[in-house]
Amino acid sequence: MTDFIAIDGPAGSGKSSVSKAVARALGFGYLDTGSAYRALAWHVLDRGADTADAAAVLDAVADFPVRLGLDPDDRTVRVGDVDVTDAIREPTVSGAVSGVARVPEVRDQVNRLFRTLVAEAPYPAVVVEGRDITTVVAPDAPVRILLTAAPEVRAARRAGELAGENAETVAAALHKRDASDSAVVDFLNAAEGVEVVDSTELDFTQTIDAVLAVIERTRGVHHG
């Protein structure tokens, strides 16, 4: 059975880039759960439906041929035969994701998909990152980490990723996303047994090292 390395955290906490780097360092798989929700939002929109319509979203998830690779260096996402890797990062999809993610039945279905992907993965472990991985998707994972940082630091980092974007606009969008997502799942407070890695004062490399230290201590593995 493949181990879950569960990493949660709010937008801009660095969980995607840190999780990918950790997976590379340890030879593990990497699952970006946000990509699945983005792909589902794309799928709903592609069908001409509205993600605010819960029934339409449920219809879409019932016929959702998504394919997510687990190779940290191959982030291709497909829905059926369509490569949606770039399309799911478009603003229209980003704006529609929360509508998809807040339907409990949809989350249940997508969470089952995540568990299946990990169970069948050809890796000793898969680093799975998202919003409710430590609490809902894999509450019994051997390693559960909440990666967080102060809101202003997260906003600055996200603005840095989105070159040319106004920092205040990014901060407002980040705050809105936090508020929307926290109505569904508490990802700002660690559940019992979840280790917190606060990267407010850490650079990228230090954050990776902090996460690796938790994994090594918890699983008893050593890298490089």
Side-chain angles (χ1 to χ4, degrees):
M1 179 73 181
T2 304
D3 271 351
F4 260 95
I5 307 292
I7 299 183
D8 282 336
S13 60
K15 62 184 183 300
S16 295
S17 46
V18 169
S19 295
K20 266 185 282 202
V22 165
R24 281 190 200 104
L26 296 174
F28 292 170
Y30 163 72
L31 176 57
D32 168 11
T33 62
S35 289
Y37 285 107
R38 285 175 172 275
L40 180 55
W42 178 90
H43 185 48
V44 173
L45 297 172
D46 186 59
R47 290 161 65 114
D50 185 340
T51 59
D53 179 349
V57 174
L58 277 170
D59 278 349
V61 82
D63 173 31
F64 181 40
V66 67
R67 284 185 289 168
L68 296 166
L70 297 179
D71 180 340
D73 292 310
D74 180 5
R75 305 312 317 135
T76 306
V77 181
R78 294 181 189 280
V79 176
D81 294 327
V82 183
D83 183 334
V84 298
T85 312
D86 294 329
I88 62 173
R89 302 293 164 185
E90 295 287 331
T92 48
V93 172
S94 297
V97 170
S98 288
V100 167
R102 69 163 180 263
V103 183
E105 298 90 339
V106 170
R107 293 188 82 88
D108 288 345
Q109 295 226 33
V110 178
N111 287 343
R112 280 200 290 276
L113 165 71
F114 297 151
R115 293 186 194 106
T116 301
L117 279 170
V118 173
E120 297 173 353
Y123 295 93
V126 178
V127 180
V128 185
E129 54 97 344
R131 285 287 200 282
D132 57 356
I133 314 305
T134 63
T135 51
V136 178
V137 180
D140 52 357
V143 182
R144 294 186 299 152
I145 296 169
L146 177 67
L147 183 61
T148 189
E152 62 276 13
V153 171
R154 295 192 285 113
R157 287 176 186 163
R158 181 51 58 91
E161 291 167 14
L162 304 169
E165 295 279 338
N166 178 286
E168 285 179 20
T169 308
V170 172
L174 199 80
H175 182 70
K176 185 179 171 192
R177 175 86 189 271
D178 282 353
S180 172
D181 289 346
S182 60
V184 182
V185 56
D186 181 1
F187 54 84
L188 294 171
N189 299 293
E192 188 176 346
V194 176
E195 299 231 18
V196 176
V197 173
D198 186 331
S199 69
T200 303
E201 304 287 336
L202 305 178
D203 65 20
F204 183 57
T205 304
Q206 290 169 327
T207 306
I208 294 166
D209 287 343
V211 171
L212 285 170
V214 173
I215 295 171
E216 290 180 3
R217 189 171 70 248
T218 314
R219 289 182 91 241
V221 300
H222 299 281
H223 75 286

